[in-house]
Amino acid sequence: MITIAELLRRSDDALAGLAQRHADLSRYAYTVDQLHRTNVDEDLAYQRTFNGLYGVRRNADWRGRFYRIFEQQKSNSDIQFGEIVRSIFESTGRVEASFASKLIATVDPTRAVYDSIVRSNLGLRTRTGSGLEKIADAVDDYQAIQAHLDALIRADRFPLLRQRFDLEFPQFKEFTDLKVLDLLIWQIR
């Protein structure tokens, strides 16, 4: 699993990578800022921004189902990963742990994103199996990711990473500690 020491050692490269992806930082800020100002089920500009940020390349029917769930859940103060994964599965027939986590991380920016890069950087293996098995495994992995990222944020040296991010990207100081950590880990490939 990735450590604060490794993140600090690789922070120059991670920050340089984020500088090249400045548009993604702006997209993320937009999706969080506009979430409660729009109906995400109907707002095509919002959907295009979210799709571009997170690489949503599913067909229109899938996207319609996903954004209906997103709109229904965006004010849920107790949003649960397992429930969102199951809702997407029941609506689309697909286990979409990554997109479920991105929905949740937009609703609650203190929550982790579950994607292949973060999973790999945290040493979690790719899961296989039936839909229900994959959901249970995804829930376990998501809890492990969230717990690990929360522990990294509490580490004594995390403020050094946060300070470097804020100096490099002062227009994004409102990003949560977890989002900053997520972005830095996402750049380590």
Side-chain angles (χ1 to χ4, degrees), residues 17-27 168-169 171-172:
L18 286 176
Q20 292 178 4
R21 300 188 72 113
H22 193 274
D24 286 335
L25 300 179
S26 295
R27 285 182 185 129
E168 187 76 26
F169 305 103
Q171 68 277 38
F172 301 120

Side-chain angles (χ1 to χ4, degrees), residues 21-61:
R21 300 188 72 113
H22 193 274
D24 286 335
L25 300 179
S26 295
R27 285 182 185 129
Y28 172 75
Y30 172 86
T31 62
V32 171
D33 180 63
Q34 294 299 308
L35 179 64
H36 293 287
R37 298 177 185 187
T38 192
N39 179 329
V40 300
D41 185 26
E42 297 174 358
D43 187 335
L44 297 180
Y46 185 93
Q47 292 177 20
R48 276 191 300 276
T49 301
F50 189 91
N51 295 346
L53 173 63
Y54 289 121
V56 178
R57 294 180 189 89
R58 302 288 186 261
N59 65 36
D61 180 59

Side-chain angles (χ1 to χ4, degrees), residues 10 14 26 42 53 61 70 81 83 102-103 109-110 118 125 134 162 168 171 177 184:
R10 299 178 71 182
S26 295
E42 297 174 358
L53 173 63
D61 180 59
F70 201 162
F81 177 77
E83 291 174 23
K102 292 164 183 171
L103 181 160
T110 66
V118 172
R125 62 184 174 85
K134 285 175 82 172
R162 179 64 206 226
E168 187 76 26
Q171 68 277 38
D177 287 345
L184 292 169

Side-chain angles (χ1 to χ4, degrees), residues 16-169:
L18 286 176
Q20 292 178 4
R21 300 188 72 113
H22 193 274
D24 286 335
L25 300 179
S26 295
R27 285 182 185 129
Y28 172 75
Y30 172 86
T31 62
V32 171
D33 180 63
Q34 294 299 308
L35 179 64
H36 293 287
R37 298 177 185 187
T38 192
N39 179 329
V40 300
D41 185 26
E42 297 174 358
D43 187 335
L44 297 180
Y46 185 93
Q47 292 177 20
R48 276 191 300 276
T49 301
F50 189 91
N51 295 346
L53 173 63
Y54 289 121
V56 178
R57 294 180 189 89
R58 302 288 186 261
N59 65 36
D61 180 59
W62 185 96
R63 291 190 316 268
R65 293 168 190 258
F66 176 80
Y67 284 109
R68 272 189 290 287
I69 293 167
F70 201 162
E71 179 62 28
Q72 292 165 356
Q73 294 294 323
K74 74 179 188 183
S75 296
N76 183 349
S77 62
D78 189 33
I79 195 165
Q80 298 297 314
F81 177 77
E83 291 174 23
I84 301 302
V85 173
R86 279 190 266 311
S87 291
I88 294 171
F89 178 70
E90 289 167 2
S91 181
T92 69
R94 296 177 61 110
V95 177
E96 299 280 10
S98 179
F99 292 129
S101 74
K102 292 164 183 171
L103 181 160
I104 290 170
T106 305
V107 171
D108 179 356
T110 66
R111 302 284 294 278
V113 169
Y114 178 111
D115 70 11
S116 61
I117 295 167
V118 172
R119 194 176 64 236
S120 174
N121 280 330
L122 296 181
L124 299 171
R125 62 184 174 85
T126 301
R127 302 295 194 139
T128 59
S130 72
L132 295 177
E133 290 170 335
K134 285 175 82 172
I135 290 171
D137 290 341
V139 169
D140 290 344
D141 285 350
Y142 185 79
Q143 290 170 343
I145 291 167
Q146 185 74 49
H148 186 69
L149 297 183
D150 288 342
L152 290 175
I153 289 168
R154 290 189 305 271
D156 292 343
R157 296 173 68 197
F158 175 77
L160 298 171
L161 285 171
R162 179 64 206 226
Q163 182 180 37
R164 293 213 47 216
F165 178 89
D166 289 346
L167 287 171
E168 187 76 26
F169 305 103

